[in-house]
Amino acid sequence: MSDDARGRRSPQPHGRRSSGRPSGDGSRAGQRGPTRTVQPARRVAYDVLRAVSETDAYANLVLPTAIAEARLGPQDAALATELTYGTLRRLGTYDAIIAAAADRSADSIDPAVLDALRLAVHQLLATRVASHAAVNESVNLVATAAGRGASSFANAVLRRITRDSGEAWQERIEEEARSDDERLALRSAHPVWVIRALRRALAAEGRGEELDALLEADNASPEVTLVALPGLAEPGEPHLPYAPTAFASPGGDPRRSVEASGGTVRVQDEGSQLVALALAGAAPIAEGERWLDLCAGPGGKTALLAAVAREHGVTLEANEVVPVRARLVRKALRAVPGEVVVHEEDGRELAAARPGEFDRILVDAPCTGLGALRRRPEARWRKSPADVAELVPLQVELLSAALEALAPGGIVAYVTCSPHLAETTGVVQEVLRGRSDIVELDARQAVADVAVSPIDLAEEGRSSSGSAQLWPHRHGTDAMFLALLQRTGTTNTSGKED
């Protein structure tokens, strides 16, 4: 649930110092010019880029609304989507190219101008869009946003970029890299710290050689995956390989399928489906069990658990501390008959006030979201190691509190959409340290048991852990992490009998 984490914009990579050119060159906004003609798809893409830059909006939330409001047809909607996500994925690389062409650091350029330049560079170097169209319309965007002087600056920068191929620009910026990791960062469009975190996570499985494949998968456009809520809808075609509830979108706008089903079919990554189903399948379900989704927003896993709970006579409660996200949870639950109480409390406090009450608890903890960079490419440029340091104590506290809310024999699923070791096995190890009343179950086996076909979950390097890690390059899912912890009836560290 990465959008609970506080985002920060990382410094732009490999920027050069300003050359001291006079104002009107894009270093600060001039007076806005008259609106000029821009193709609708490019206008939508630019507006979304501005929302991401100015308000830390998530493109996957803003773009569908922008497309609908602009009334784009299927072809233009597809173009707007490619321009938006393509630009965001390679932002760091494009900023390095812009800095080299402009002879100044990217962060010294007015943000409205910079977003137009980024959009243009993506079109020039990574699409088949005609160069003159990419340059002219991007210059028009700059003229409208920042004035004539800035548009002249943008025109000069883009004309300079068109003189060389994308390969030549890539070689040029990589020559300035100070290390192999910086060169890989420019080539793969991932910050250095993210590359190192992903490398460590793969090495922990004995799969370090898969790093290039993972970085490539992060930059690929993911297919839209749907979930059919059990007992309420049947999965369509084509079926996906692992989750029995998962199938690929038949094409077009997936909202049509969702609306036609009344919400019993939803958009949800297959990895998210697997971890929720693994919790439900980790032990036989007894009628009358009580389940809790402790960090429920925006409600996709909640709805899936609610559908399973309904089939087995289980009572489910949900909790989401952010009111707007709690409303999304309630909306997601409308399709499932029966009542699910949705609390709006700090999860740590709610769990502490309900000791020993629940048989299964999902802790889908706030995290950096490094496992969903395919779907939220801008997250890689917003996050920093400081976010990890800020989130880990919260993750530890949420998981610790959830364990106290378990009845004897109860199971907690600790889930993150991040493979970062500090947020995954590190949290589990910290919580289990010194406790004799909690045992870790084999999450890999739990996932394999619910999967409809064999699934490759690495075991090497995880001999002391039963956790499961999914990967975009290996499974076609987000990089979801799952650990299953069960409360026993033994004495805990305080000497109190459970």
Side-chain angles (χ1 to χ4, degrees):
M1 293 177 12
S2 59
D3 40 351
D4 277 337
R6 202 167 296 151
R8 294 184 179 89
R9 183 174 303 160
S10 301
Q12 303 297 341
H14 301 286
R16 296 184 174 185
R17 292 187 177 184
S18 170
S19 61
R21 293 181 181 176
S23 62
D25 61 1
S27 59
R28 62 173 182 261
Q31 185 173 357
R32 290 174 179 263
T35 300
R36 301 192 184 187
T37 301
V38 175
Q39 197 259 1
R42 291 189 182 92
R43 166 60 67 179
V44 166
Y46 178 72
D47 288 345
V48 174
L49 293 179
R50 295 301 301 128
V52 169
S53 296
E54 286 189 310
T55 67
D56 279 348
Y58 281 102
N60 68 323
L61 301 179
V62 176
L63 181 60
T65 300
I67 288 174
E69 289 179 349
R71 298 181 179 179
L72 298 186
Q75 186 172 352
D76 279 345
L79 177 59
T81 300
E82 160 56 26
L83 295 182
T84 300
Y85 285 113
T87 302
L88 289 172
R89 285 189 187 99
R90 305 198 66 82
L91 213 62
T93 301
Y94 292 158
D95 281 1
I97 292 171
I98 291 167
D103 196 26
R104 67 186 54 227
S105 64
D107 56 5
S108 72
I109 299 172
D110 177 72
V113 177
L114 181 59
D115 278 335
L117 291 174
R118 291 163 166 168
L119 183 61
V121 172
H122 178 65
Q123 294 173 77
L124 291 171
L125 303 185
T127 75
R128 296 181 179 180
V129 172
S131 295
H132 69 275
V135 171
N136 291 342
E137 295 213 1
S138 296
V139 169
N140 286 346
L141 284 170
V142 172
T144 300
R148 184 178 299 175
S151 69
S152 297
F153 165 77
N155 185 63
V157 171
L158 294 177
R159 297 294 178 189
R160 189 173 302 170
I161 290 173
T162 60
R163 293 173 193 160
D164 291 311
S165 66
E167 292 79 6
W169 279 110
Q170 190 69 41
E171 290 178 7
R172 179 173 176 179
I173 61 174
E174 287 187 28
E175 286 174 358
E176 299 181 8
R178 296 166 294 183
S179 68
D180 288 342
D181 279 353
E182 284 196 1
R183 274 185 286 278
L184 182 56
L186 289 165
R187 193 177 313 126
S188 67
H190 286 69
V192 169
W193 78 273
V194 172
I195 288 174
R196 291 171 177 168
L198 296 176
R199 180 188 289 124
R200 286 191 292 268
L202 287 168
E205 297 186 341
R207 302 284 189 95
E209 74 281 359
E210 295 180 2
L211 178 61
D212 287 342
L214 171 57
L215 297 176
E216 184 177 349
D218 271 352
N219 287 330
S221 299
E223 67 178 355
V224 177
T225 304
L226 300 175
V227 58
L229 297 182
L232 300 170
E234 292 295 326
E237 296 287 349
H239 290 284
L240 292 183
Y242 305 123
T245 51
F247 62 106
S249 173
D253 188 348
R255 289 179 297 181
R256 295 179 181 177
S257 298
V258 174
E259 292 169 359
S261 74
T264 59
V265 168
R266 303 175 50 80
V267 175
Q268 187 175 37
D269 178 70
E270 188 179 17
S272 293
Q273 297 178 48
L274 279 173
V275 295
L277 293 172
L279 171 60
I285 301 172
E287 186 175 355
E289 285 188 5
R290 301 188 69 177
W291 295 1
L292 172 65
D293 188 348
L294 191 61
C295 311
K301 297 182 188 68
T302 319
L304 181 52
L305 286 175
V308 176
R310 172 180 171 271
E311 291 185 306
H312 292 85
V314 168
T315 299
L316 173 68
E317 297 181 40
N319 178 69
E320 172 53 52
V321 67
V322 181
V324 66
R325 290 170 62 83
R327 289 195 291 272
L328 292 176
V329 175
R330 294 186 181 98
K331 181 179 179 181
L333 289 166
R334 289 175 189 167
V336 184
E339 181 181 7
V340 175
V341 175
V342 180
H343 306 279
E344 296 183 22
E345 300 181 32
D346 184 310
R348 295 164 292 186
E349 295 175 1
L350 183 144
R354 309 280 292 275
E357 286 196 24
F358 295 99
D359 300 287
R360 299 181 206 227
I361 301 175
L362 174 63
V363 181
D364 188 8
C367 68
T368 55
L370 298 184
L373 297 184
R374 303 176 306 158
R375 302 182 192 281
R376 290 180 172 171
E378 64 273 26
R380 71 188 76 183
W381 312 116
R382 285 181 177 169
K383 305 299 180 183
S384 76
D387 291 296
V388 179
E390 181 179 336
L391 284 163
V392 166
L394 174 61
Q395 293 160 350
V396 168
E397 291 168 6
L398 283 166
L399 180 53
S400 297
L403 292 175
E404 299 306 319
L406 278 181
I411 299 170
V412 163
Y414 174 70
V415 171
T416 66
C417 189
S418 169
H420 196 298
L421 292 178
E423 298 187 271
T424 58
T425 54
V427 168
V428 174
Q429 291 167 4
E430 174 65 23
V431 169
L432 292 182
R433 184 173 293 117
R435 295 194 69 145
S436 60
D437 60 326
I438 304 296
V439 296
E440 184 172 6
L441 304 180
D442 189 343
R444 293 187 297 270
Q445 188 61 53
V447 172
D449 286 345
V450 299
V452 295
S453 60
I455 183 167
D456 178 13
L457 296 169
E459 296 187 20
E460 184 178 344
R462 291 184 180 272
S463 57
S464 62
S465 170
S467 60
Q469 179 68 62
L470 300 170
W471 294 101
H473 67 290
R474 199 184 304 159
H475 307 109
T477 69
D478 290 344
M480 304 295 298
F481 170 85
L482 171 67
L484 294 171
L485 307 179
Q486 185 172 41
R487 188 163 193 173
T488 68
T490 61
T491 303
N492 65 21
T493 54
S494 67
K496 179 181 177 181
E497 186 72 23
D498 287 324

